[in-house]
Amino acid sequence: MLRSIYIETYGCQMNFADTEIVNGILRKEGYEIAADIDGADAVFLNTCAIRDNAEQRIYGRLSNLSHLKKRNPHLVFGVLGCMAERLRANLLEQNSDVDIVCGPDEYRKLPALIDQAFEGEKGIRTQLSRVETYDDIVPLRTDGISAWVAVMRGCDKFCTFCVVPFTRGRERSRPMHGIVREVAGLLDRGFREVTLLGQNVNSYHDADADFADLLVAVAALDPQLRVRFTTSHPQDMSDRLIAAIAEHDNICKYIHLPFQSGSDRILALMNRTYSREHYLGLVKKIRAAVPDVALSTDVIAGFPTETEEDHQQTLSLMEEVRYDGAFMFKYSPREKTRAWNMGDDIPDEVKGRRLEEIIDLQRRISYEINRTIVGKRQRILLEGPSKRSDVEWMGRTDTNKTVIVPRGDFIAGDLLDVHISSATSATLFGRPVGIPAVEAA
Ligand code: 5AD
Ligand code: SF4
């Protein structure tokens, strides 16, 4: 009997890429991948453990999925990903509906775990690996324009706030030829953009090749292919990488460069291994080499012992850099990390107020930057209908800004020159160059 499996994914892009790997493994073993949850024989949540609120959301989902199990007691229910790795057997003990717990390096064992679960046996696999990269697995992707390609797994940075080294294990890179072959296959299938993914892509290596070599090798496959990458660590961003971005038209002029805090004292407590001065010097160097580059970042409000002065340093760094966008978070203590032992002394209202100041500042800066693009011409890669309306389409600029355009005779994958007519802090609105603003009735 053909069993069907449905996976619901939470968290970062790495998790979405992992879901495609899991689906690739399961499909090869003869399972059907269900398009929606209704009627699936097994349901998995691929989970995130980065902050407590991510976990709370998944607990909520787990409990509201228990009605499915009441309706169909044979349904197999599993937890994958970072929460599986972090909580292990506790998940089975706390939640009687859960049959399978499987961590990020054990996905090859899933078919066996699923077969056992259909026989009524619960199973758990959470060993981390120093070598697993799933390089030989063909991820199961639906056709599209833009694909995510994991080039490495794990992280060796041990920032003191971060649970990832504990949930995803040690850093390891995929061989370069496997990645290049995968992207070549995506090109054949019509994909127009790839994002090379890793927790810290700047430390990618394969024999003598580093991340700059990989990026150039991927970009060389087709000058029409857009190449993106994330995430960069400010400590490891090499001059060769900056030069590669500057010299190749199809490597996007967009860098996600988390700074986390603008205070040297907090950066040291975070074990970020760079200073504010190093970070600002790096930004200057990047902008000198790649003048139109867009930068985005991650920042944490309310790390243990953070003072108002530290917080002001964060705001002033943001003013100085003027990021195009930012992901902004309240500090959330995670067990096993070094910061866990530093306490969590900043009251939630203070964290919340600081976060709001950070968000307000970023919104103003994003808006100011986007306003300067109004009246200009931008080239976008059309991705498909916009989320809000099917009479509008969305695409992205090289610098990763979302642009909404009226639906015309375009198809996803078209590169379109648009005239930007208005902007908010999050979105640009435009119309294709050469097409009148108001269409005849
Ligand atoms: N609390 C808040 N934010 C965190 N991040 C990672 N760990 C934590 C934590 N414990 C943020 C960092 C990182 C991003 C992926 O998530 O800013 O860059
Ligand atoms: Fe979540 Fe981080 Fe794990 Fe991604 S790596 S799934 S963001 S905890």
Side-chain angles (χ1 to χ4, degrees):
M1 185 179 72
L2 199 61
R3 310 255 204 198
S4 69
I5 316 280
Y6 181 78
I7 307 182
E8 202 167 276
T9 309
Y10 294 81
C12 64
Q13 288 307 329
M14 196 57 104
N15 257 10
F16 284 82
D18 276 3
T19 292
E20 294 175 341
I21 288 171
V22 173
N23 283 338
I25 293 171
L26 294 178
R27 189 72 156 243
K28 209 165 117 210
E29 293 293 322
Y31 292 96
E32 190 188 326
I33 308 304
D36 62 82
I37 197 163
D38 294 322
D41 299 304
V43 171
F44 290 92
L45 303 186
N46 191 359
T47 61
C48 175
I50 194 94
R51 283 169 293 273
D52 187 57
N53 56 7
E55 289 196 354
Q56 292 312 324
R57 201 170 140 224
I58 290 157
Y59 278 127
R61 185 63 178 146
L62 273 174
S63 71
N64 78 30
L65 282 178
S66 60
H67 72 272
L68 289 178
K69 195 117 174 179
K70 285 202 187 77
R71 236 177 15 201
N72 170 13
H74 301 294
L75 179 76
V76 162
F77 207 16
V79 179
L80 313 177
C82 289
M83 241 173 115
E85 191 62 46
R86 195 178 89 72
L87 296 164
R88 302 184 182 192
N90 295 339
L91 277 171
L92 291 177
E93 284 153 22
Q94 286 163 7
N95 194 316
S96 58
D97 289 335
V98 173
D99 303 296
I100 293 172
V101 172
C102 185
D105 284 348
E106 295 265 48
Y107 294 148
R108 289 178 201 269
K109 311 268 171 52
L110 260 180
L113 286 167
I114 294 173
D115 289 345
Q116 283 165 17
F118 281 125
E119 301 293 314
E121 204 179 309
K122 295 194 182 226
I124 173 162
R125 289 284 191 163
T126 54
Q127 189 75 36
L128 287 171
S129 160
R130 284 180 175 265
V131 293
E132 179 64 273
T133 61
Y134 301 110
D135 185 53
D136 59 312
I137 304 288
V138 183
L140 187 67
R141 296 184 172 95
T142 40
D143 281 332
I145 300 308
S146 188
W148 301 84
V149 178
V151 303
M152 58 200 298
R153 302 180 68 81
C155 183
D156 281 354
K157 284 283 167 193
F158 288 92
C159 301
T160 59
F161 51 78
C162 188
V163 77
V164 168
F166 306 97
T167 60
R168 290 190 161 272
R170 304 311 296 269
E171 181 187 295
R172 62 224 105 112
S173 297
R174 272 178 75 181
M176 190 152 115
H177 60 84
I179 298 165
V180 171
R181 196 181 46 216
E182 184 176 337
V183 177
L186 292 169
L187 271 165
D188 287 344
R189 278 178 58 190
F191 282 88
R192 307 302 326 147
E193 179 179 87
V194 292
T195 305
L196 307 184
L197 268 185
Q199 245 72 40
N200 171 19
V201 288
N202 304 148
S203 59
Y204 174 89
H205 61 92
D206 176 20
D208 293 337
D210 66 6
F211 188 63
D213 297 316
L214 174 67
L215 203 52
V216 169
V218 169
L221 285 170
D222 180 345
Q224 295 296 317
L225 176 72
R226 274 187 173 182
V227 185
R228 302 186 181 280
F229 59 96
T230 196
T231 292
S232 296
H233 191 292
Q235 182 61 47
D236 302 332
M237 184 110 200
S238 71
D239 292 353
R240 292 186 68 232
L241 177 56
I242 298 171
I245 301 165
E247 285 161 15
H248 292 81
D249 282 345
N250 64 332
I251 300 180
C252 291
K253 311 298 178 247
Y254 167 72
I255 303 175
H256 183 61
L257 195 65
F259 79 102
Q260 313 294 4
S261 167
S263 152
D264 280 337
R265 192 181 68 81
I266 297 293
L267 286 172
L269 287 175
M270 287 175 162
N271 189 35
R272 287 293 288 177
T273 70
Y274 55 82
S275 63
R276 177 187 175 101
E277 193 186 348
H278 170 90
Y279 187 95
L280 289 172
L282 177 61
V283 167
K284 214 178 213 172
K285 190 155 75 176
I286 291 170
R287 287 205 165 126
V290 194
D292 290 332
V293 75
L295 295 176
S296 66
T297 201
D298 292 345
V299 51
I300 297 176
F303 187 81
T305 79
E306 185 187 73
T307 62
E308 283 305 317
E309 170 60 26
D310 295 321
H311 170 58
Q312 290 302 325
Q313 297 261 310
T314 288
L315 295 174
S316 81
L317 188 142
M318 293 171 70
E319 292 263 21
E320 212 166 311
V321 175
R322 294 179 65 78
Y323 295 100
D324 292 79
F327 300 92
M328 301 160 280
F329 311 106
K330 263 193 224 176
Y331 172 69
S332 169
R334 310 311 288 141
E335 242 173 305
K336 285 196 185 168
T337 62
R338 268 166 53 207
W340 175 261
N341 301 322
M342 298 177 196
D344 182 20
D345 59 330
I346 310 300
D348 196 56
E349 318 82 76
V350 176
K351 280 185 196 170
R353 194 253 306 148
R354 289 180 187 167
L355 180 64
E356 245 168 65
E357 289 175 11
I358 289 169
I359 292 172
D360 286 348
L361 172 60
Q362 184 53 46
R363 204 173 279 147
R364 171 168 71 71
I365 293 171
S366 294
Y367 179 60
E368 285 169 5
I369 293 175
N370 285 351
R371 232 175 28 191
T372 65
I373 306 171
V374 173
K376 293 197 176 137
R377 185 193 268 230
Q378 297 275 302
R379 176 159 293 183
I380 64 171
L381 176 63
L382 266 188
E383 291 184 13
S386 86
K387 270 188 225 133
R388 289 207 199 122
S389 131
D390 51 10
V391 297
E392 288 171 332
W393 276 51
M394 71 78 71
R396 257 175 240 277
T397 65
D398 176 306
T399 53
N400 209 28
K401 292 182 191 291
T402 302
V403 183
I404 305 293
V405 292
R407 180 174 194 155
D409 300 329
F410 318 115
I411 52 167
D414 281 352
L415 275 174
L416 209 62
D417 283 326
V418 295
H419 178 268
I420 303 299
S421 45
S422 65
T424 67
S425 62
T427 313
L428 302 172
F429 298 85
R431 58 175 197 279
V433 170
I435 293 187
V438 183
E439 283 172 29

